[in-house]
Short mmCIF file of all heavy atoms in Angstrom, two decimals:
data_model
loop_
_atom_site.label_atom_id
_atom_site.label_comp_id
_atom_site.label_asym_id
_atom_site.label_seq_id
_atom_site.Cartn_x
_atom_site.Cartn_y
_atom_site.Cartn_z
N ARG A 1 -9.56 59.73 38.38
CA ARG A 1 -9.14 61.03 38.81
C ARG A 1 -9.36 61.25 40.30
O ARG A 1 -8.51 61.91 40.97
CB ARG A 1 -9.84 62.16 37.99
CG ARG A 1 -9.35 62.26 36.58
CD ARG A 1 -10.12 63.33 35.82
NE ARG A 1 -10.00 64.65 36.46
CZ ARG A 1 -8.97 65.48 36.30
NH1 ARG A 1 -8.01 65.13 35.50
NH2 ARG A 1 -8.96 66.64 36.87
N VAL A 2 -10.41 60.68 40.81
CA VAL A 2 -10.63 60.84 42.29
C VAL A 2 -9.51 60.15 43.03
O VAL A 2 -8.98 60.63 44.02
CB VAL A 2 -11.99 60.24 42.64
CG1 VAL A 2 -12.12 60.22 44.14
CG2 VAL A 2 -13.14 61.04 42.06
N LEU A 3 -9.13 58.97 42.53
CA LEU A 3 -8.05 58.21 43.20
C LEU A 3 -6.74 58.93 43.13
O LEU A 3 -5.96 59.04 44.12
CB LEU A 3 -7.95 56.82 42.62
CG LEU A 3 -9.21 55.92 42.82
CD1 LEU A 3 -9.06 54.62 41.99
CD2 LEU A 3 -9.43 55.58 44.32
N THR A 4 -6.40 59.41 41.92
CA THR A 4 -5.09 60.10 41.73
C THR A 4 -5.10 61.49 42.53
O THR A 4 -4.02 61.90 42.92
CB THR A 4 -4.79 60.37 40.29
OG1 THR A 4 -5.91 61.03 39.67
CG2 THR A 4 -4.50 59.05 39.55
N GLY A 5 -6.27 62.02 42.69
CA GLY A 5 -6.39 63.26 43.41
C GLY A 5 -6.05 63.11 44.86
O GLY A 5 -5.78 64.13 45.55
N ILE A 6 -5.93 61.90 45.42
CA ILE A 6 -5.52 61.64 46.78
C ILE A 6 -4.03 62.15 46.89
O ILE A 6 -3.58 62.61 47.97
CB ILE A 6 -5.59 60.20 47.23
CG1 ILE A 6 -7.11 59.80 47.19
CG2 ILE A 6 -5.03 59.93 48.55
CD1 ILE A 6 -7.29 58.31 47.34
N TYR A 7 -3.29 61.95 45.83
CA TYR A 7 -1.81 62.27 45.87
C TYR A 7 -1.44 63.49 45.10
O TYR A 7 -0.41 64.08 45.36
CB TYR A 7 -1.08 61.05 45.26
CG TYR A 7 -1.28 59.77 45.99
CD1 TYR A 7 -2.30 58.89 45.66
CD2 TYR A 7 -0.42 59.41 47.05
CE1 TYR A 7 -2.53 57.70 46.37
CE2 TYR A 7 -0.63 58.22 47.78
CZ TYR A 7 -1.66 57.39 47.39
OH TYR A 7 -1.87 56.21 48.07
N LEU A 8 -2.26 63.90 44.08
CA LEU A 8 -1.91 64.97 43.27
C LEU A 8 -2.98 66.03 43.20
O LEU A 8 -4.21 65.73 43.45
CB LEU A 8 -1.67 64.47 41.78
CG LEU A 8 -0.57 63.45 41.58
CD1 LEU A 8 -0.63 62.88 40.18
CD2 LEU A 8 0.78 64.07 41.80
N ASP A 9 -2.59 67.33 43.00
CA ASP A 9 -3.55 68.38 42.91
C ASP A 9 -4.23 68.41 41.54
O ASP A 9 -3.56 68.73 40.53
CB ASP A 9 -2.80 69.72 43.13
CG ASP A 9 -3.71 70.93 43.15
OD1 ASP A 9 -4.96 70.76 42.95
OD2 ASP A 9 -3.26 72.10 43.36
N LEU A 10 -5.50 68.09 41.50
CA LEU A 10 -6.24 67.97 40.24
C LEU A 10 -6.37 69.31 39.54
O LEU A 10 -6.62 69.42 38.35
CB LEU A 10 -7.60 67.32 40.44
CG LEU A 10 -7.61 65.93 40.99
CD1 LEU A 10 -9.00 65.47 41.24
CD2 LEU A 10 -6.88 64.96 40.00
N ASN A 11 -6.27 70.43 40.31
CA ASN A 11 -6.48 71.75 39.72
C ASN A 11 -5.19 72.42 39.36
O ASN A 11 -5.22 73.57 38.83
CB ASN A 11 -7.22 72.62 40.72
CG ASN A 11 -8.58 72.07 41.12
OD1 ASN A 11 -9.32 71.62 40.21
ND2 ASN A 11 -8.90 72.05 42.41
N ASN A 12 -4.11 71.77 39.53
CA ASN A 12 -2.79 72.34 39.14
C ASN A 12 -2.42 71.92 37.72
O ASN A 12 -2.25 70.77 37.41
CB ASN A 12 -1.70 71.83 40.10
CG ASN A 12 -0.40 72.56 39.90
OD1 ASN A 12 -0.17 73.22 38.92
ND2 ASN A 12 0.54 72.34 40.87
N PRO A 13 -2.29 72.91 36.80
CA PRO A 13 -2.00 72.60 35.40
C PRO A 13 -0.70 71.87 35.23
O PRO A 13 -0.52 71.09 34.26
CB PRO A 13 -1.90 73.94 34.72
CG PRO A 13 -2.68 74.92 35.64
CD PRO A 13 -2.49 74.40 37.04
N LYS A 14 0.22 72.04 36.18
CA LYS A 14 1.52 71.40 36.08
C LYS A 14 1.48 69.88 36.27
O LYS A 14 2.39 69.16 35.86
CB LYS A 14 2.51 72.03 37.10
CG LYS A 14 2.86 73.47 36.85
CD LYS A 14 3.81 73.99 37.88
CE LYS A 14 4.18 75.48 37.61
NZ LYS A 14 5.07 76.00 38.66
N THR A 15 0.42 69.42 36.91
CA THR A 15 0.27 67.99 37.14
C THR A 15 -0.67 67.32 36.19
O THR A 15 -0.91 66.13 36.32
CB THR A 15 -0.21 67.74 38.59
OG1 THR A 15 -1.54 68.32 38.73
CG2 THR A 15 0.72 68.31 39.64
N ALA A 16 -1.18 68.08 35.20
CA ALA A 16 -2.19 67.51 34.29
C ALA A 16 -1.66 66.29 33.52
O ALA A 16 -2.29 65.26 33.40
CB ALA A 16 -2.61 68.56 33.29
N SER A 17 -0.43 66.34 33.03
CA SER A 17 0.15 65.23 32.21
C SER A 17 0.38 64.03 33.17
O SER A 17 0.22 62.89 32.73
CB SER A 17 1.41 65.64 31.50
OG SER A 17 2.37 66.13 32.50
N ILE A 18 0.82 64.30 34.41
CA ILE A 18 1.02 63.18 35.36
C ILE A 18 -0.29 62.50 35.68
O ILE A 18 -0.34 61.29 35.70
CB ILE A 18 1.69 63.74 36.63
CG1 ILE A 18 3.03 64.38 36.32
CG2 ILE A 18 1.88 62.61 37.65
CD1 ILE A 18 3.72 65.07 37.57
N ILE A 19 -1.33 63.29 35.91
CA ILE A 19 -2.63 62.72 36.24
C ILE A 19 -3.17 61.86 35.05
O ILE A 19 -3.72 60.85 35.24
CB ILE A 19 -3.65 63.85 36.56
CG1 ILE A 19 -3.23 64.50 37.91
CG2 ILE A 19 -5.06 63.39 36.64
CD1 ILE A 19 -3.96 65.78 38.16
N ALA A 20 -2.98 62.39 33.82
CA ALA A 20 -3.43 61.65 32.62
C ALA A 20 -2.71 60.31 32.55
O ALA A 20 -3.35 59.26 32.23
CB ALA A 20 -3.13 62.57 31.40
N LEU A 21 -1.37 60.27 32.81
CA LEU A 21 -0.63 59.06 32.69
C LEU A 21 -1.02 58.13 33.85
O LEU A 21 -1.19 56.87 33.64
CB LEU A 21 0.85 59.30 32.73
CG LEU A 21 1.77 58.11 32.50
CD1 LEU A 21 1.37 57.40 31.25
CD2 LEU A 21 3.24 58.60 32.49
N SER A 22 -1.22 58.66 35.01
CA SER A 22 -1.65 57.84 36.20
C SER A 22 -3.01 57.17 35.89
O SER A 22 -3.26 56.02 36.25
CB SER A 22 -1.73 58.69 37.50
OG SER A 22 -0.48 59.10 37.93
N THR A 23 -3.84 57.95 35.28
CA THR A 23 -5.16 57.43 34.95
C THR A 23 -5.05 56.26 33.94
O THR A 23 -5.77 55.27 34.15
CB THR A 23 -6.05 58.55 34.34
OG1 THR A 23 -6.17 59.62 35.25
CG2 THR A 23 -7.41 58.05 33.88
N THR A 24 -4.17 56.38 32.98
CA THR A 24 -3.95 55.30 32.04
C THR A 24 -3.40 54.06 32.76
O THR A 24 -3.83 52.95 32.44
CB THR A 24 -2.97 55.73 30.95
OG1 THR A 24 -3.47 56.98 30.35
CG2 THR A 24 -2.87 54.68 29.80
#
């Protein structure tokens, strides 16, 4: 999540699914 947070807003609900998939 720290790594994906470089590109995406971790606190934005709209990016939650994108962050989850990036993490996978």
Side-chain angles (χ1 to χ4, degrees):
R1 285 179 59 83
V2 174
L3 295 172
T4 54
I6 297 171
Y7 300 91
L8 300 170
D9 184 359
L10 297 177
N11 298 316
N12 187 348
K14 293 181 180 179
T15 62
S17 58
I18 300 175
I19 292 168
L21 185 53
S22 293
T23 298
T24 306

